[in-house]
Amino acid sequence: MQLTVWTYEGPPHVGAMRVATAMRDLHYVLHAPQGDTYADLLFTMIERRSKRPPVTYTTFQARDLGGDTAALFQTACHEAYERFKPKAMIVGASCTGELIQDDPAGLAKASGLPIPVIPLELPSYQKKENWGAAETFYQIVRHLAGPHALPPNAARPVRAAGEKPRCNLLGPTALGFRHRDDVRAISGLLERMGIAINVTAPWEASPADIARLGNADFNVVLYPEIAGPAAQWLKRSFGQPIVSTVPIGVGATRDFITEVARLAEIDPAPFLKAEESRLPWYSRSVDSTYLTGKRVFIFGDATHAIAAARVAREELGFEVVGLGTYSREFARDVREAAARHGIEALITDDYLEVEAKVAELQPELVLGTQMERHIAKRLGVPCAVISAPVHVQDFPARYSPQMGFEGADVLFDTWVHPLMMGLEEHLLGMFRDDFEFHDGAAPSHLGHASRAPAAPPAVEPAIEVAAPAMAAAGTAEIAVVEGPSGWAPEAEQELRKIPFFVRGKARRNTESFAGQRGIRLITVETLYDAKAHFGR
Amino acid sequence: MTSSPAILSGSQAASCANPPILRERGQREVFCGLTGIMWLHRKIQDAFFLIIGSRTCAHLMQSAAGVMIFAEPRFATAIIEERDLAGMADANEELDRVVMRLLERRPDIKLLFLVGSCPSEVIKLDLSRAAKRLSERVSPAVRVLNYSGSGIETTFTQGEDACLAALVPSLAEKPAEAPESLLVVGVLADAVEDQFRRIFAEIGIRQVDFLPARKAGTMPSIGPGTRYLLAQPFLGETARLIEGRGGQRIAAPFPLGAEGAAGWVHAAGATFGIAPAIIDAVIAAPRERARRAVSRYRDMLAGRRIFFFPDSQLEVPIARFLHRELGMELVEVGTPYFHKDHLAADLAMLPAGTAFSEGQDVDRQLERCRKAAPDIVVCGLGLANPLEAEGLTTKWAIELVFTPIQGFEQAGDLAELFARPLNRRARLEV
Ligand code: SF4
């Protein structure tokens, strides 16, 4: 047993849902209890999708367990087929479904549905979300593209003269970190290079699209955690080489263009010249001197963490003091990357370990997931988010890719944003005793954060202001007339029960309500009378 | 998921005491009982909830609230792994190890709940034995109890029922000669609890306890002198166990809206022989405030048609409030589980012919909903955005559980929760 509060990855069937939800005309029948339907809200709330994920849950209950849960599963398959008319179906079990051993694969095969039914074996007690997504995508590709595989030892047919080189774009899923925008950025780049995109998958691909993956000349793998196994299989079955560079950052994007051009048999030089990022100049601009040598801690999925480390060092001049990942499957890659930075990688899915490491290293910037954002906040270190697990904030309304040259610009902006500007930092160092420069002080352009520590005392002033007025005037009468209405201790207590973010408003409303009516002592009654008067 | 045809029961009477209910047994789109830990762990300030479950359970807890909670939460999951299942590790020893590590880290914990999940139930991990064993080891510093929040047995708010039911046997016995006292059962927001405490004191009920208490050490004692008032409509099992220890339920509508809160306080007062006139005098001002606060939203809500998907079991009393105090029309009132006895007072206030449904077959219910085209739909987070995208106006049901809505002073807030989505739709021009 493993003691966990927050997890970096969900269970493997959530990975399968990310693939299914990204695709069109595919349905997922999941043998699972009712509570597992929470996973729908990941897509409808966090990603703000306007459609329910294409998933039917059997939602078996305890009273079904003695009876025929297998029949329940088969009925669910049939009903889902009738209702949604998918072109292919994936079937499997969640952690509880796995334990009751109904064999969804066998049942689905026996169900006689007139569409391809792809069984998934996702061991919930060993594996996690990204593995589940990768396995699901691999199974879908193998089942649907498999029948079109080249005969053994056959060579790929040569492209007709004048025909554009073609590639597939593999890996983007639902609920991915900026997958939506990365697809647009890289599709644009490839198209400008004169390369046609045969299929993007799983993102908005249909089963029919998956069946024609073999028509491409090579594969671009945007997210190895998800598309790695499928790409390896496509390489074996269709002889399609893989572009292995993930184009995050200026240097990696240049390498990517070079690698793609080589596979497409075109000259990269014009594209390397034409494509531009502002990052190199911004990093060289004098104001960025303060970035140089900043100590940064990086944690995320393997792909984003490795890429971020390279960008941090080579493109912003930071010093990478920590690098780690929760993607155990890619531990070796991260260890190698860490070695290039002269440090040891942290491979863990226990956020407490990550927190301890951040506390120990005391970096000046953390680049991590939403989890590290919390850790950094607690430790008072600036942070930018670079990787899943995602949060609703990771789906900005604006176009905000991580990949390509546009993505590099986004990286520059988002990583530099939480930092203190150079001169501000100096002033802080010079005037340490300034009362506004307390330990919790945040950069001036992030004003909202610096107010938080000051909040509690703000509850008091009404009474404190009244008291000196009384002393100065000498008579209580004048003080009461001129000062604001006073708060009875119980009313003050009651006010404190109101959430802090609306407390100020409640206080103001109550005081103006009392003032207008000449009420001198605000009681609990007054508080609620005012509440009823103003409404929310 | 079965396609058993809908069963109709009950009769079409003039009042709604025994209404026809559409019973469905298809796909449910509702949380499991683990979710109750979200508010329970904040209510009992020195309790910790340890789920014995899978990565799914842990992921649910982290996703259900929509955001991660900033303070270190007083809950965690002991994730069952392959080695526990394959018998390579003794699950009980593993559990003991995890618990001891946890208690070392959190010496502030006085009450530990071992919370069962689907996987722990299916593999028949005996958590009541584990709780006993661990209790012996760590008492008196910590008491260890257990309950199941599994999705195969509990739906959303039933988790609170299971938790409180686990507490009942551990409550001290009231001395036989103790006078009758009032016990309010069910989690209320702290501010709401304080408001009612003041009201009960003012009408003259001297001894009032709340279950759960805010601290493990101050849990109320119970016995034959206990008269209990349910604050929440989903506490069937807790009620049964309190009765088993001699407690008697005070039948009342649930304290939602001016009318519900008044009926609730009156029922308690009547039990303790307090003259209605005294009660009326005490609640006159708050009741009037509640009416005024609610009336602010009447124009916007009167005549609007509302459709409830099953979620928290609060649907029936909320429907009663919206219908009687705001003039809304009830298209369908879906609830995961229909406790007729506990809901009797609320049902009696609903119009004859109200369409109720119990359980769910989500796709069919969506069809009914689309066909009825209500003005506002109350539903879970998985359905809300898709329905908004189809042009329906929705209110997330979960907000009704995470917001103080009970009592006089909150009646206006409850109305506002339903007005806001309509208000938003009216404002937005793009
Ligand atoms: S439904 Fe069962 S398996 Fe799923 S989260 Fe709830 S307790 Fe865990």
Side-chain angles (χ1 to χ4, degrees), chain A residues 470-487:
Chain A
M470 231 182 284
T475 71
E477 202 189 330
I478 295 168
V480 172
V481 172
E482 291 193 337
S485 309
W487 285 74

Side-chain angles (χ1 to χ4, degrees), chain A residues 1-2 4 7 34 38 40 44 52 58 62-64 72 79 83 95 497 528-529 531-533, chain B residues 1 3 25 29 54 59 62 77 79 94 152 154-155 194-195 289 296 363 367 381 385 409 413:
Chain A
M1 276 178 206
Q2 187 202 359
T4 310
T7 68
Q34 62 181 356
Y38 81 87
D40 284 359
T44 63
R52 290 168 66 207
T58 57
R63 63 172 179 229
D64 300 318
L72 204 63
E79 287 189 354
R83 185 176 294 276
C95 53
K497 291 169 196 161
Y528 285 121
D529 280 334
K531 180 164 185 268
H533 176 77
Chain B
M1 183 159 135
S3 28
R25 277 198 64 185
E29 181 87 16
S54 62
H59 198 235
Q62 140 171 356
T77 308
I79 297 182
E94 282 288 293
I152 54 176
T154 59
T155 299
D194 294 343
Q195 290 164 11
R289 274 199 296 269
R296 180 187 300 278
D363 287 307
E367 277 169 11
L381 294 174
N385 260 343
E409 316 298 353
D413 301 343

Side-chain angles (χ1 to χ4, degrees), chain A residues 33-36 38 95-96, chain B residues 32-34 54 56-57 60 116-119 149-152:
Chain A
Q34 62 181 356
D36 292 8
Y38 81 87
C95 53
T96 312
Chain B
C32 60
L34 295 184
S54 62
T56 313
C57 308
L60 158 92
S117 66
C118 303
S150 84
I152 54 176

Side-chain angles (χ1 to χ4, degrees), chain A residues 438-506:
Chain A
H438 53 81
D439 285 347
S444 57
H445 65 285
L446 304 178
H448 59 278
S450 66
R451 240 171 285 142
V459 179
E460 278 9 298
I463 290 165
E464 281 168 11
V465 170
M470 231 182 284
T475 71
E477 202 189 330
I478 295 168
V480 172
V481 172
E482 291 193 337
S485 309
W487 285 74
E490 308 91 294
E492 192 75 43
Q493 271 309 110
E494 197 72 9
L495 184 67
R496 254 171 256 192
K497 291 169 196 161
I498 297 171
F500 71 90
F501 46 87
V502 287
R503 199 179 294 145
K505 186 174 159 197

Side-chain angles (χ1 to χ4, degrees), chain B residues 33-81:
Chain B
L34 295 184
T35 337
I37 294 170
M38 290 292 173
W39 60 89
L40 285 163
H41 91 282
R42 288 284 155 216
K43 181 72 197 182
I44 313 176
Q45 293 166 10
D46 49 6
F48 194 97
F49 293 79
L50 180 65
I51 300 162
I52 321 303
S54 62
R55 182 165 298 282
T56 313
C57 308
H59 198 235
L60 158 92
M61 290 304 292
Q62 140 171 356
S63 315
V67 288
M68 287 183 241
I69 295 163
F70 289 73
E72 188 169 326
R74 287 185 297 270
F75 65 77
T77 308
I79 297 182
I80 299 170
E81 293 169 304

Side-chain angles (χ1 to χ4, degrees), chain A residues 29-33 58-62 64-77 91-111 119-121, chain B residues 1 122 152:
Chain A
V29 177
L30 184 63
H31 210 16
T58 57
T59 64
F60 56 82
Q61 294 179 277
D64 300 318
L65 290 182
D68 202 349
T69 48
L72 204 63
F73 180 81
Q74 275 179 312
T75 312
C77 289
V91 299
S94 76
C95 53
T96 312
E98 182 182 336
L99 292 175
I100 61 177
Q101 299 184 327
D102 275 335
D103 183 23
L107 292 171
K109 224 170 252 150
S111 68
L120 300 175
E121 301 272 354
Chain B
M1 183 159 135
V122 171
I152 54 176

